[in-house]
Amino acid sequence: MQNLWAQFLAWLEQSLPRLLGAAVIFAAGWWLSNLTIKLLRRAMNRSHADTGIITFICSLLRVLLKIIVCIMTLAQLGMDVTSIIATLGAAGLAIGLAVKDSMSNIASGAQIIFTHPFRAGDYLAVEGGAEGTVERIEIMFTTLRTYDNREIIIPNSKLTVSTLTNYTSMETRRVDLEYQVSYQADLAQVKAVLQKICDQHPLVLADPAPLIAVSAHKDSAIAIAVKAWCKTPDYWALFFDMQERVKLAFDSEGIHIPFPQMDVHLDPPQHPASNSGQSTNL
């Protein structure tokens, strides 16, 4: 035991400078890599770069810098860096074949960044039912935030092969509304009331002009379609406000909004003749 302890102390005395140097390189490199990412993010934000590009580049650079720090630390410990890099290359190829889906996500993330089918802040509906506002575009995943503040994490490869609906890519949107009135209503009056509401509403655009027309004859009512244009951020504000304004205006003008109803006609009972020639009431 004394010999082993002496050998350990000799090894420690010989290796201590190298171990301390490796610890300093690792700690300083780790701190500098985090600082570099922080400064890069701040500089890109000041240049008003797209948020998706910022998150993707920062997440990719963070991984690369950490790998470089680990290689420098191993080199300080006396390991052959060339063989380490060759080993990492071979291992990377094998891992890449094993996790080809992950590599596909990385390639898809780069494709999203450079082709811009959507950007951070856009509201997307993804084929399959997921929808929300794009929060982050990272190396392998894109994060959506729903209206009720849930996060949906979607692999980038799925986004590049799925049908996407981008609700906020255009400056204006059309709000499609439908209101039902009774068959006894004066259609000219109904259309005039709806036209007045659209003309006086501050969120409705004058160009393109709103469209107001009879859209269908239903079982219990006549359907009137209102198609008005607005700025994209005003879509839901206009949608909900129109519901209230139309109801109040119809009540004020005496326009009846019918409820589903059905007219049932009963035939009078039949009185079959008896054998004696007299009828019997059933």
Side-chain angles (χ1 to χ4, degrees), residues 127-187:
E127 183 181 8
E131 63 178 84
T133 302
V134 179
E135 286 284 295
R136 298 184 302 276
I137 304 173
E138 298 182 320
I139 298 178
M140 299 179 63
F141 304 100
T142 294
T143 302
L144 306 183
R145 177 175 52 83
T146 64
Y147 274 122
D148 55 352
N149 211 30
R150 292 177 293 123
E151 278 194 348
I152 302 177
I153 301 174
I154 305 176
N156 289 331
S157 59
K158 181 177 180 180
L159 294 176
T160 55
V161 299
S162 298
T163 300
L164 305 178
T165 301
N166 192 332
Y167 288 100
T168 53
S169 61
M170 309 300 291
E171 293 184 0
T172 59
R173 284 189 64 188
R174 191 182 71 188
V175 182
D176 294 337
L177 305 167
E178 183 181 272
Y179 303 101
Q180 299 185 16
V181 298
S182 67
Y183 274 92
Q184 289 75 33
D186 184 347
L187 293 182

Side-chain angles (χ1 to χ4, degrees), residues 43-97:
M44 296 180 72
N45 284 327
R46 288 178 178 176
S47 64
H48 304 290
D50 183 75
T51 306
I53 295 178
I54 295 175
T55 56
F56 182 83
I57 291 178
C58 288
S59 59
L60 179 62
L61 187 60
R62 180 181 293 107
V63 174
L64 294 177
L65 289 177
K66 303 299 186 186
I67 293 175
I68 292 174
V69 170
C70 292
I71 291 176
M72 292 176 62
T73 303
L74 294 175
Q76 176 63 25
L77 292 174
M79 298 184 180
D80 188 0
V81 177
T82 304
S83 61
I84 292 175
I85 295 176
T87 303
L88 288 177
L93 178 60
I95 294 173
L97 294 175

